[in-house]
Amino acid sequence: MRSMLIGTVLLLCVYALPAHATFSIAACDDEGNCGVAVATHNLAVGGSDVAWAQAKVGALASQFETNPHYGPDGLRLMAAGKPPAQVLKQLLAGDGNYDDTTVAERQVGLVDARGRQAQYTGATALVSGWAGALGGPGYSVQGNGLAGAAVLDAMRDAYLGAEGSLAARLLQALEAGEAAGGQRSGQMSAALLVRTPEGDWRDTDLRVDSAPQPIVQLRVLFEQRQAHAAMIRAEQLMRGREAEAEAALAQALSLAHGWDRIWARAARLAMARGDAVRAREYLGVLWSINPVMAGMELEGERYVGLRGDPVVEGWR
């Protein structure tokens, strides 16, 4: 009997735990860029229908118990010109108890490209630790299972005080939320999604599906993306704009976080500029990161000027 009681208590404790713990920020800027940054104590939030965005239309975060219809339906309604408050009302009215859950399990934040915003936290979501939402012109911040209200306040303040691209500002807001206590249960995954009017490679879609510190890893991915863009600028500026090329190259290397391809391209750029000494230096870093790739790189004819160098020959 005693073992049965213990088992029952344990079972009740398991079911009493909140299903999810998530915090996010959705925002649009004056240029029509719209996006969402999110972290959660769950697997692969970047592919779980939580974050939605469309340039010059709006952004939406659907969390706690996600209804996958909210994202596409919400963007469609905002694209038709309906304000977020009305869109939210329609989404909740048409919820349909998706997956045997109700609007009590929903938490939603949405913002349109005109800066209008709306939030909703259902009754069940509201009692999952600390939960709540806030918004202002151009942004909406929401979370559940949090350390407290300070998490959302920190996210808002960081976003409003940040400079740079929308993606950079959203990531800073997410980091500020984590620094203020984040989720009581910790994180497992994080994602950063930004849709731009230009589209294609200018969009940001970065995801950390499972990691002990997903927001930290998301920062690494974001900076590696910046490193790639800076390297492209350095290559484009190589002839005629040397000072700018040097600055872009320095930025790329400072943000590489051990990405071997950035160092390989730096070595190629140095050889193209006739700087064998620096090419040798960059190849040395590449070799320390990825010896096989360094050997493959040296097979190219561009490195003929380094043949015979005893150190370089050891890398082949």
Side-chain angles (χ1 to χ4, degrees), residues 89-170:
K89 185 179 295 186
Q90 287 189 231
L91 292 176
L92 295 173
D95 183 87
N97 294 345
Y98 176 81
D99 201 23
D100 294 325
T101 58
T102 72
V103 294
E105 283 84 33
R106 310 283 180 250
Q107 186 174 50
V108 190
L110 60 164
V111 60
D112 70 7
R114 295 173 59 181
R116 300 173 296 184
Q117 39 75 34
Q119 303 81 33
Y120 169 83
T121 302
T124 302
L126 197 59
V127 296
S128 62
W130 191 93
L134 56 86
Y139 69 91
S140 175
V141 185
Q142 45 281 322
N144 54 80
L146 304 183
V151 176
L152 300 189
D153 291 340
M155 294 175 71
R156 174 200 59 208
D157 294 345
Y159 176 75
L160 294 176
E163 297 181 352
S165 67
L166 179 63
R169 297 172 67 195
L170 291 174

Side-chain angles (χ1 to χ4, degrees), residues 119-302:
Q119 303 81 33
Y120 169 83
T121 302
T124 302
L126 197 59
V127 296
S128 62
W130 191 93
L134 56 86
Y139 69 91
S140 175
V141 185
Q142 45 281 322
N144 54 80
L146 304 183
V151 176
L152 300 189
D153 291 340
M155 294 175 71
R156 174 200 59 208
D157 294 345
Y159 176 75
L160 294 176
E163 297 181 352
S165 67
L166 179 63
R169 297 172 67 195
L170 291 174
L171 180 54
Q172 287 184 57
L174 203 64
E175 291 170 329
E178 168 64 7
Q183 299 152 211
R184 295 168 61 201
S185 56
Q187 286 91 48
M188 187 175 186
S189 65
L192 177 62
L193 172 69
V194 174
R195 299 300 184 193
T196 65
E198 298 84 4
D200 198 20
W201 58 269
R202 298 170 185 83
D203 289 356
T204 298
D205 191 354
L206 300 175
R207 309 173 180 194
V208 178
D209 287 345
S210 179
Q213 295 182 298
I215 297 176
V216 173
Q217 188 59 40
L218 190 63
R219 164 62 66 179
V220 171
L221 294 178
F222 180 70
E223 292 189 349
Q224 287 179 322
R225 189 177 187 278
Q226 289 180 304
H228 181 259
M231 182 58 71
I232 292 174
R233 289 199 305 275
E235 292 166 345
Q236 293 173 337
L237 296 167
M238 181 179 64
R239 290 181 175 84
R241 300 167 68 177
E242 292 293 318
E244 293 176 70
E246 283 289 342
L249 176 61
Q251 181 185 25
L253 296 179
S254 70
L255 298 174
H257 289 282
W259 188 2
D260 48 16
R261 290 185 179 275
I262 297 296
W263 289 96
R265 288 173 68 166
R268 296 174 193 175
L269 183 59
M271 290 301 293
R273 299 168 71 182
D275 192 343
V277 174
R278 290 179 72 181
R280 183 178 184 268
E281 174 189 342
Y282 299 150
L283 285 168
V285 176
L286 174 62
W287 185 83
S288 70
I289 299 169
N290 188 339
V292 174
M293 186 175 182
M296 295 171 61
E297 185 69 18
L298 285 166
E299 294 173 1
E301 289 300 316
R302 62 171 56 90

